[in-house]
Amino acid sequence: MSKYDDLNRIIAESKHIVFFGGAGVSTESGIPDFRSKDGLYNNRDVQFDRYTPEYLLSIDCLEDAPKVFYEFYRQKLNVDGIEPNRAHYKLAEMEKAGKLDGVITQNIDGLHQKAGSVNVHEVHGSTLRNYCKRCHRKYPADAIFTSKDPIPKCSICGGMIRPDVTLYGEGLPTDAWRNAVRLVDNADCLIVGGTSLVVNPAASLAFGFRGDHLIIINRDVTSADRMAELVFHESISEVLDKIDVGAQ
Ligand SMILES: [Zn+2]
């Protein structure tokens, strides 16, 4: 029996499978991993050099230096034109076939929904959604990315439009987090992909899993490898590609 036979056996016998993913799911679509050595944090533009990347994506920067925040945000976080990869499409196919209860993601790029996934819980928010800080009116992605105004303003009240993204210094969105915890509590199989499980509280989802089968797919070793039934240090899309949804 190969590891892939084991994987397909677990998928076949599980009734409530949940996928929990991180940056590694999107790197195959060309989105840099904020924390890898090739990622956003080491790809700083000269004009941002006086700031740390954590500051540039913090609530403090948004409030104290909004022009700097939006300049960085527009340059680095626009996902317009970026397409889902085979991992996103496979997960959407599994959900459609009734083999996946839902996706929990730390990514803010909306690629799971773009691939067709419906039950998606974005525990760090999404760059595709914005809202007015003052009146909470909702705005689409282009309210920030294509706005000519250095600081995008609400057309109703004049307040600042901000991304619906969890910034450094902010807590996780309550509803998404609660739904994610509920999904994991109800799961008999948790597949963790593309996250090194170092960022809490999101990483605590994997450590809190009490179901039957924990599967980890990540290029590098993770802190939860020892707890897992199956570990793949490989490309996520290549591993997910081996899942035979039709054979259930
Ligand atoms: Zn407003």
Side-chain angles (χ1 to χ4, degrees):
M1 290 273 278
S2 78
K3 261 163 78 172
Y4 291 109
D5 294 328
D6 289 336
L7 175 65
N8 273 307
R9 177 184 50 77
I10 292 169
I11 300 290
E13 72 186 34
S14 297
K15 299 272 183 287
H16 294 287
I17 304 171
V18 170
F19 181 84
F20 169 42
V25 179
S26 290
T27 48
E28 291 175 37
S29 287
I31 293 178
D33 176 353
F34 291 176
R35 287 177 182 75
S36 80
K37 65 181 187 344
D38 305 317
L40 177 64
Y41 286 1
N42 293 299
N43 182 25
R44 294 194 223 165
D45 286 7
V46 176
Q47 68 261 45
F48 299 127
D49 264 5
R50 51 188 290 221
Y51 306 105
T52 65
E54 285 82 0
Y55 176 73
L56 290 161
L57 289 172
S58 71
I59 183 66
D60 289 344
C61 183
L62 178 71
E63 289 177 348
D64 301 339
K67 284 186 182 169
V68 174
F69 176 90
Y70 282 112
E71 181 61 25
F72 184 79
Y73 188 86
R74 286 189 180 104
Q75 284 192 32
K76 300 294 186 186
L77 289 158
N78 193 349
V79 295
D80 189 31
I82 293 178
E83 294 301 325
N85 61 58
R86 287 180 298 154
H88 297 105
Y89 287 116
K90 187 68 180 206
L91 291 164
E93 183 191 339
M94 287 172 68
E95 185 185 5
K96 200 170 286 178
K99 283 310 295 182
L100 187 72
D101 283 5
V103 169
I104 301 162
T105 182
Q106 296 174 278
N107 299 333
I108 53 176
D109 50 40
L111 291 177
H112 286 291
Q113 293 93 329
K114 199 171 182 181
S117 285
V118 177
N119 194 19
V120 180
H121 303 284
E122 297 167 308
V123 293
H124 291 166
S126 172
T127 59
L128 302 184
R129 295 189 303 268
N130 301 303
Y131 63 92
C132 170
K133 253 170 89 83
R134 194 183 292 163
C135 75
H136 297 276
R137 182 190 163 94
K138 291 175 180 173
Y139 285 89
D142 61 5
I144 290 178
F145 292 125
T146 62
S147 169
K148 299 271 189 293
D149 199 342
I151 301 170
K153 300 270 174 29
C154 176
S155 59
I156 305 297
C157 79
M160 187 195 285
I161 296 175
R162 62 154 290 174
D164 191 0
V165 164
T166 307
L167 303 174
Y168 284 95
E170 293 186 307
L172 300 189
T174 316
D175 285 355
W177 179 250
R178 195 184 298 129
N179 290 335
V181 170
R182 191 177 299 148
L183 206 58
V184 170
D185 281 348
N186 191 48
D188 54 6
C189 172
L190 180 65
I191 306 173
V192 178
T195 167
S196 43
L197 295 170
V198 290
V199 185
N200 264 320
S204 68
L205 279 179
F207 290 101
F209 175 64
R210 295 290 175 267
D212 299 333
H213 308 288
L214 177 64
I215 299 169
I216 292 180
I217 311 166
N218 195 55
R219 287 273 187 201
D220 302 312
V221 172
T222 82
S223 48
D225 283 6
R226 277 174 305 148
M227 298 162 46
E229 183 173 351
L230 277 179
V231 178
F232 298 88
H233 290 151
E234 293 163 53
S235 143
I236 298 166
S237 55
E238 277 170 31
V239 175
L240 293 184
D241 251 0
K242 303 276 197 335
I243 292 177
D244 188 359
V245 178
Q248 309 307 323

